[in-house]
């Protein structure tokens, strides 16, 4: 207490004013990133959409598929509107191998026609095995985000473990469909050995 | 001192300036982050390694995984409704473990969870797309007007145990939340036509797109259900027919903004046979209720950022039930606001407030009337709930409370504490303690009901039951413990147990009789009143287990078992008639097995088996019930199905005559249905 009383209030005031004046811009700058950092976590669906987009750069489709140069590059999404919307935004105005990217959203398997990438949403009603059987011979990269997707025979699984999204790859299934992955992708991915 | 004051003032200004700047910045930060185009454009530049290192948020309240809920929850999915071939919502509810569904007659069901089951069961909250459908008249649900286009139901979430903190009063023993599909998911046409031994029905829906971001659907349905027989083999007078039409439109202006507008109107008639005795004579009375009503609901949901969203909901609802004994017209307007936000990495908060206004006009009869005959009531409510991540991926704590003010019992606080522990990815252990109240209904306060009349000498005695303006809320404190286990991906087990302590349960007690007075014409009359009071206490405990097995794609099976014990006791020994149904009026043991088979040739075979224990106090013996459905899709757009109900017996009783309502025998029945999609 004694120490406090001995201090010069005017000097104290002046000091605090100067200090605040000097610190205020810093304070604002400091607050901004804090707020931003607090908010800067991403929705799983956004990160998964980004994964799907960048995966296309590390996947080699068989020659037959590459001949479809004048067709758009179709990414089909089954039973996941949110994913379709996010993919639509992320691919807007982009091209893959010179082909225009088109995202199409479907509610049932029966509606799906031609596509190069198929994302199977968790809400899909048809069992995954049935969907895989149906599209296996058509050189389609089949991606899913359910827990045991690759174990069930899916080619690429985007699985959330803790706070991160992991890529799982089932090489046997992909090879069977004539699809090859770049080694860069395989470095990041977990390889799953499970046939059908 | 002046300098010190100036200093303080200066500091205050600075603090305000500082806060103001934060306020200015926050919307920019949130808006910037909420804009998913910017977020996605940022994400697409990242390398695959960078993406793999990113942290993502986990689900919000709506998308919370079933296995991650610290409550006894069961979800009936649209597949279950389809495979069960249900033509009404109450019949679908039978499959919920621990829920007691007893059909009283062709158009009435007694549905409750964890005890207290009757047609006037009053401890359950039922919502359809966010619209509360229990009637404030007696706090129960008229199931004969709760309907929609069955194929458009997305899911029915059933929570056993108190859900009052989030959902509000009346969620004492459970919440039933009926949720229809988004209009986007019901595109195209669907027509159902069916007929059988007990019913004939037809319904149609068409959904489409308006512009780029909006979807709509409209539906209409009509049905006619035949009378059952009462226990003497006579016509039960309980026929039921009706029609309804409705729509839903969803507009997703962007990823962040969603607007829904939906509504229904309906009309119908349902019959009731009631028994009452006057002057040593027993009368049976047939009364037909003319039913009509409608509702309109609007909801606006706005995502502010990845961590925050809010929704505003407004609805208007009108119900008219016109019977000889009692006619009721009720108008309700409801407003709700809800805000979900994440603070830091550990706190997930949901809070909101609401207001409901309900106005009724009741015209009674010489047997039953309400005083006053018209009333307007207000309900104010607010709630907050915080889910705290104590240990990420392991331990969560949920604290919350609802605060309500109603015109009958004033302020009510309904807090809860829930804890969820995941020792392993495939195991969840949860526990909860919560308090909930059943606020007084209009009947508890204002009912007048003629129970009996008898002559003693020259005097006629008239026994009345009357409501009590001092009737207070019934309360429960519930202790719950649950465990979920997924030992293999094809098997899951869900176990829930509870111990409930109820206070202030309703009873009818004698009040002071009036002296006989001379009336003209004679005889002189004496009124013997009974009044409603909070008197009983009860302890209830029980266990519910469900196992689901999906070994093969072509076979899904699940079994469930529930066990309940009730002990009802009065606070004082006094002559009273118990209006709450005690230990002998709930099935002690219930058991069910559900099987869905996908057979070759586009055939589906589905079986639902139920065992329900006896109700000794009501004189209802135990029964087994087997319902079988056979479905065939010869071509993609066409489905033919056949449903057989009560295959095991010609008929059985599921309930008995209480509170004057005659129960009917539930007969074996069959119907066929054609479904065409286009």
């Amino acid at each position: 207490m004694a120490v406090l009383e001995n201090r010069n209030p005017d000097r104290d005031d002046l000091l605090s004013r100067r200090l605040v004046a000097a610190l205020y811009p810093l304070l604002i700058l400091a607050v901004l990133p804090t707020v931003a950092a607090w908010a800067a976590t991403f929705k799983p669906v956004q990160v998964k959409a980004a994964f799907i987009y960048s995966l296309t750069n590390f996947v080699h489709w068989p020659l037959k598929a590459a001949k479809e140069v004048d067709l758009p590059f179709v990414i089909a999404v089954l039973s996941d509107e949110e994913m379709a919307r996010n993919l639509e935004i992320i691919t807007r105005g982009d091209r893959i191998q010179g082909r225009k990217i088109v995202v199409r959203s479907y509610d049932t398997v029966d509606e799906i026609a031609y596509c190069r990438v198929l994302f199977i949403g968790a809400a899909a009603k048809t069992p995954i095995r049935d969907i895989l059987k149906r599209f296996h011979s058509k050189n389609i990269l089949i991606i899913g985000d359910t827990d045991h997707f690759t174990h069930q025979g899916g080619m690429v699984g985007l699985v959330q473990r803790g706070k991160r999204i992991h890529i799982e790859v089932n090489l046997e299934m992909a090879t069977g469909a004539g699809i090859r992955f770049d080694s860069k992708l395989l470095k990041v991915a977990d390889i799953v050995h499970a046939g059908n | 001192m002046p300098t010190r004051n100036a200093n303080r003032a200066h500091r205050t200004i600075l603090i305000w300036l500082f806060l103001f700047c934060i306020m200015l910045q926050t919307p920019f930060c949130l808006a910037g982050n909420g804009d998913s185009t910017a977020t996605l454009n940022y994400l697409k530049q990242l390398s695959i390694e960078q993406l793999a290192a990113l942290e993502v948020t986990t689900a919000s309240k709506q998308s919370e995984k079933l296995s991650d809920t610290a409550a006894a929850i069961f979800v009936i999915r649209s597949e279950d409704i389809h495979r069960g071939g249900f033509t009404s919502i109450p019949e679908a509810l039978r499959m919920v473990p621990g829920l007691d569904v007893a059909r009283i007659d062709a158009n009435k069901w007694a549905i409750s969870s964890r005890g207290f089951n009757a047609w006037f069961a009053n401890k359950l909250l039922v919502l359809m797309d966010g619209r509360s459908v229990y009637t404030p008249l007696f706090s129960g649900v008229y199931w004969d007007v709760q309907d929609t286009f069955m194929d458009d139901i997305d899911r029915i979430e059933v929570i056993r145990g108190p859900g009052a903190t989030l959902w509000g009063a009346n969620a004492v023993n459970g919440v039933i939340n009926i949720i229809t599909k988004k209009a986007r998911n019901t595109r195209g046409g669907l027509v159902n036509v069916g007929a059988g031994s007990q019913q004939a029905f037809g319904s149609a829906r068409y959904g489409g797109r308006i512009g780029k971001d909006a979807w709509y659907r409209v539906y209409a349905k009509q049905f006619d259900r035949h009378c059952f027989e009462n226990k003497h083999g006579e016509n039960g007078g309980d026929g039921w027919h009706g029609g309804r039409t409705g729509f839903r439109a969803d507009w997703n202006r962007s990823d962040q903004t969603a607007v829904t507008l939906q509504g229904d109107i309906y009309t119908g008639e349902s019959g009731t046979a009631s028994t009452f005795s006057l002057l040593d004579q027993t009368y049976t009375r047939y009364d037909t209720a003319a039913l009509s009503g409608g509702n309109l609901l609007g909801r606006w949901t706005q995502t502010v950022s990845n961590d925050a969203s809010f929704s505003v909901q407004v609805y208007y609802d009108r119900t008219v039930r016109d019977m000889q004994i009692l006619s009721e017209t009720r108008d309700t307007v409801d407003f709700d606001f809800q805000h979900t936000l994440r603070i830091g990495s550990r706190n997930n908060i949901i809070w909101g407030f609401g207001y409901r206004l309900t106005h009724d006009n009741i015209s009674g009869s010489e047997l039953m009337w309400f005083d006053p005959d018209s009333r307007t009531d207000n309900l104010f409510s607010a709630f907050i709930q915080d889910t705290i991540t104590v240990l990420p991926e392991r331990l969560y704590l949920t604290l919350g409370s609802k605060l309500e003010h109603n015109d009958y019992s004033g302020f009510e606080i309904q807090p809860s504490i829930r804890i969820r522990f995941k020792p392993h990815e495939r195991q969840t252990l949860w526990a909860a303690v919560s308090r909930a109240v059943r606020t007084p209904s209009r009947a508890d306060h204002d009912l007048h009901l003629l129970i009996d009349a008898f002559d003693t000498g020259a005097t006629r005695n008239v026994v009345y039951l009357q409501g009590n303006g001092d009737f207070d809320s019934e309360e429960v404190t519930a202790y719950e413990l649950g465990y979920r286990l997924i030992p293999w991906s094809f098997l899951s087990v869900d176990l829930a147990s509870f111990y409930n302590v109820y206070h202030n349960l309703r009873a009818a007690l004698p009040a002071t009789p009036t002296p006989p007075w001379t009336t003209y014409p004679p005889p002189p009359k004496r009124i013997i009143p009974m009044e409603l009071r909070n008197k009983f206490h009860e302890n209830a405990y029980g266990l519910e287990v469900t196992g689901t097995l999906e070994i093969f794609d072509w076979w899904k099976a699940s079994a469930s078992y529930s066990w309940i014990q009730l002990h009802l006791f009065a606070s004082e020994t006094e002559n009273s008639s118990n209006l709450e149904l005690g230990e002998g009026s709930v099935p002690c043991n219930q058991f069910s097995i559900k099987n869905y088979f996908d057979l070759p040739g586009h055939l589906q075979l589905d079986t639902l088996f139920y065992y329900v224990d006896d109700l000794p106090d009501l004189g209802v013996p135990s029964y087994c019930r087997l319902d079988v459905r056979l479905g065939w899709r010869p071509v993609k757009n066409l489905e033919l199905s056949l449903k057989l109900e009560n295959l095991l017996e010609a008929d059985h009783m599921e309930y008995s005559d209480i509170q004057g309502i005659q129960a009917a025998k539930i007969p074996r029945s069959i119907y066929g249905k054609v479904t065409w999609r286009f």
Side-chain angles (χ1 to χ4, degrees), chain A residues 86-100:
Chain A
N86 279 285
L87 273 172
E88 214 169 305
I89 296 169
I90 217 166
T91 58
R92 204 172 279 164
D94 269 326
R95 283 172 178 273
I96 292 177
Q97 297 150 3
R99 298 163 61 188
K100 198 174 161 253

Side-chain angles (χ1 to χ4, degrees), chain B residues 464-469 507-512 529-534 579:
Chain B
Y464 276 112
L465 174 68
Q466 58 194 38
N468 173 1
L509 293 144
T512 324
M530 304 275 287
E531 66 173 11
L532 295 174
R533 269 198 261 157
N534 301 93
L579 292 186

Side-chain angles (χ1 to χ4, degrees), chain A residues 180-191:
Chain A
R180 284 189 303 112
F181 295 115
D182 198 291
S183 61
K184 262 189 185 171
L185 170 68
L186 298 180
K187 268 183 210 159
V188 184
D190 301 336
I191 314 291

Side-chain angles (χ1 to χ4, degrees), chain B residues 641-661:
Chain B
S641 62
L642 198 66
K643 171 104 189 254
L644 291 139
E645 287 179 347
N646 299 317
L647 210 57
L648 303 176
E649 287 174 290
D651 56 55
H652 69 267
M653 297 289 282
E654 295 185 1
Y655 210 67
S656 78
D657 303 358
I658 60 154
Q659 291 167 337
I661 309 295

